[in-house]
């Protein structure tokens, strides 16, 4: 039978504990690198589909003190500005109340604290540390309809969620992806290091660190696949990490039970199985 070529030989060596072990010498270094990237991007599929929308950040959390300091006098000042899709050209720059300002020029960071700064097409929301975010006036903006600070807080937070949805999605994907990448590095290279250390035992046939990495990559596939399928139905990056890690531990255990990490033991088992098959005939 013609030997399988990459990548089919990799998948063939992930199906049983014995094949995971006996196929530990089949991959070259560049092929192992490709498999590592493949496993990472396999894990990234549910992250791209669901991981970005899981990152929720409220405006008050992003800018502490930005909204909680508003009072009824600030609400009256906002109503006088009569903001409906844009700032009226008749409004002059300056401080309108304790926390409400109007500025027709660029506002530098740190200039205001716990303030709302209204401009022609945008408004700046400042936290107590001077950091700020920009909200754009969109069609339907009418701040006069909000009678108290609670209603205004809710509206501004909703506008923040809508206008930063793309940014938060990208950040969610990057953060979740970093966690998965870091976990995969630890599983492949650190777990392989402990596996390689078994060469000091007289029963282990693992001779090089490369073999142990290859074996770990073989053992990772099924656990990774289960983690990905599960995450399509119920996404949680830490659950993905746990399933992938548990899958590797289980694969290691089954590999040891089936092979004792010894080529001669595997060979003897195969001979015994062949003889039993012939006797059974």
């Amino acid at each position: 039978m013609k030997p399988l070529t990459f990548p089919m030989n990799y998948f063939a060596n992930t199906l049983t504990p014995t094949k995971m072990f006996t196929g530990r010498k089949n991959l070259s270094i560049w092929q192992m690198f490709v498999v590592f990237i493949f496993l990472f991007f396999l894990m990234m599929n549910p992250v791209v589909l669901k991981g970005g929308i899981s990152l929720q950040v409220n405006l008050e959390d992003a800018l502490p003190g930005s909204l909680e300091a508003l009072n009824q006098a600030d609400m009256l000042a906002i109503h006088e500005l009569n903001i409906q899709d844009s700032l009226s050209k008749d409004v002059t720059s300056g401080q309108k109340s304790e926390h409400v300002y109007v500025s027709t020029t660029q506002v530098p960071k740190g200039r205001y604290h716990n303030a709302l700064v209204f401009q022609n097409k945008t408004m700046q929301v400042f936290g107590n540390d001077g950091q700020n975010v920009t909200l754009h006036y969109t069609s339907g903006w009418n701040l006069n309809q909000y009678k108290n600070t609670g209603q205004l807080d809710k509206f501004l937070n909703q506008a923040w969620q809508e206008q930063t949805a793309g940014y938060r999605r990208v950040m969610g994907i990057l953060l979740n992806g970093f966690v998965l990448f870091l976990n995969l590095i630890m599983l492949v290279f650190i777990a392989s290091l402990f596996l390689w250390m078994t060469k000091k035992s007289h029963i282990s046939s693992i001779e090089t660190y490369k073999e142990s990495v290859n074996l770990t990559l073989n053992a990772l596939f099924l656990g990774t696949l289960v983690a990905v399928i599960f995450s399509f139905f119920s996404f949680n990056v830490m659950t993905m990490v746990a399933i992938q890690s548990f899958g590797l531990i289980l694969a290691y255990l089954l590999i040891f039970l089936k092979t004792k990490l010894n080529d001669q033991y595997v060979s003897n088992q195969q001979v015994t199985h062949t003889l039993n098959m012939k006797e059974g005939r």
Side-chain angles (χ1 to χ4, degrees):
M1 181 181 294
K2 185 179 179 180
L4 295 174
T5 58
F6 183 78
M8 297 309 299
N9 61 342
Y10 169 72
F11 294 112
N13 290 330
T14 65
L15 299 180
T16 67
T18 301
K19 288 184 177 181
M20 292 176 191
F21 178 72
T22 57
R24 70 186 187 277
K25 299 180 181 180
N26 288 5
L27 300 181
S28 63
I29 292 178
W30 77 265
Q31 288 172 342
M32 288 192 291
F33 176 76
V34 170
V35 170
F36 180 90
I37 298 301
F38 164 74
L39 292 175
F40 172 66
F41 279 104
L42 182 62
M43 291 285 282
M44 284 297 294
N45 278 279
V47 173
V48 172
L49 291 177
K50 295 187 175 183
I53 61 177
S54 68
L55 182 62
Q56 297 293 329
V57 181
N58 291 324
L59 181 57
E60 185 64 34
D61 295 331
L63 296 174
S66 57
L67 301 178
E68 64 183 14
L70 296 178
N71 53 48
Q72 202 58 35
D74 297 322
M75 293 300 301
L76 293 175
I78 292 173
H79 290 166
E80 291 177 358
L81 297 179
N82 194 29
I83 298 174
Q84 298 185 30
D85 299 342
S86 64
L87 183 64
S88 174
K89 295 181 179 180
D90 299 329
V91 178
T92 58
S93 298
Q95 184 173 1
K96 304 303 178 180
S97 67
E98 183 181 0
H99 303 103
V100 176
Y101 299 81
V102 172
S103 176
T104 57
T105 60
Q106 184 66 32
V107 180
K109 288 185 178 181
R111 181 174 179 180
Y112 299 99
H113 299 272
N114 299 337
L116 302 181
V117 181
F118 295 90
Q119 298 178 285
N120 292 331
K121 298 295 182 182
T122 63
M123 66 175 291
Q124 308 283 334
V125 182
F126 284 81
N128 54 25
D129 59 355
Q131 296 297 313
N132 70 300
V133 299
T134 300
L135 296 179
H136 295 266
Y137 305 140
T138 58
S139 178
W141 268 55
N142 182 4
L143 299 187
N144 289 352
Q145 63 181 313
Y146 303 108
K147 305 304 180 183
N148 55 60
T149 58
Q151 293 178 350
L152 181 63
D153 289 356
K154 184 177 181 180
F155 169 76
L156 293 179
N157 188 66
Q158 181 180 353
W160 154 262
Q161 298 293 340
E162 293 173 353
Q163 295 185 23
T164 61
Y167 168 78
R168 288 183 294 107
R169 178 174 177 81
V170 171
M171 287 303 298
I173 291 174
L174 291 177
L175 289 174
N176 288 326
F178 176 75
V179 171
L180 293 178
F181 185 76
L182 186 62
N183 181 67
L184 189 59
I185 286 179
M186 293 177 64
L187 291 180
V188 171
F189 297 107
I190 297 181
S192 297
L193 180 62
F194 287 103
L195 192 64
W196 175 56
M197 291 173 66
T198 64
K199 73 172 187 174
K200 296 180 180 180
S201 170
H202 67 280
I203 65 169
S204 177
S205 297
I206 297 176
E207 299 176 349
T208 66
Y209 182 66
K210 176 178 174 295
E211 289 181 26
S212 63
V213 172
N214 194 159
L215 192 157
T216 299
L217 290 173
N218 293 345
L220 267 172
F221 177 69
L222 292 180
T224 300
L225 187 61
V226 172
V228 169
I229 294 173
F230 180 85
S231 296
F232 280 125
F233 298 97
S234 178
F235 177 81
N236 184 296
V237 69
M238 298 312 297
T239 302
M240 291 183 71
V241 167
I243 294 175
Q244 187 183 44
S245 302
F246 177 77
L248 179 61
I249 294 172
L250 182 61
Y252 274 167
L253 178 61
L254 293 176
I255 289 170
F256 179 77
L257 292 176
K258 290 289 185 179
T259 69
K260 309 302 182 186
L261 302 182
N262 186 279
D263 290 328
Q264 187 60 50
Y265 178 85
V266 173
S267 178
N268 293 340
Q269 290 292 103
Q270 291 174 343
V271 170
T272 301
H273 177 72
T274 302
L275 292 176
N276 290 337
M277 290 289 292
K278 290 182 178 180
E279 293 177 359
R281 292 177 183 176

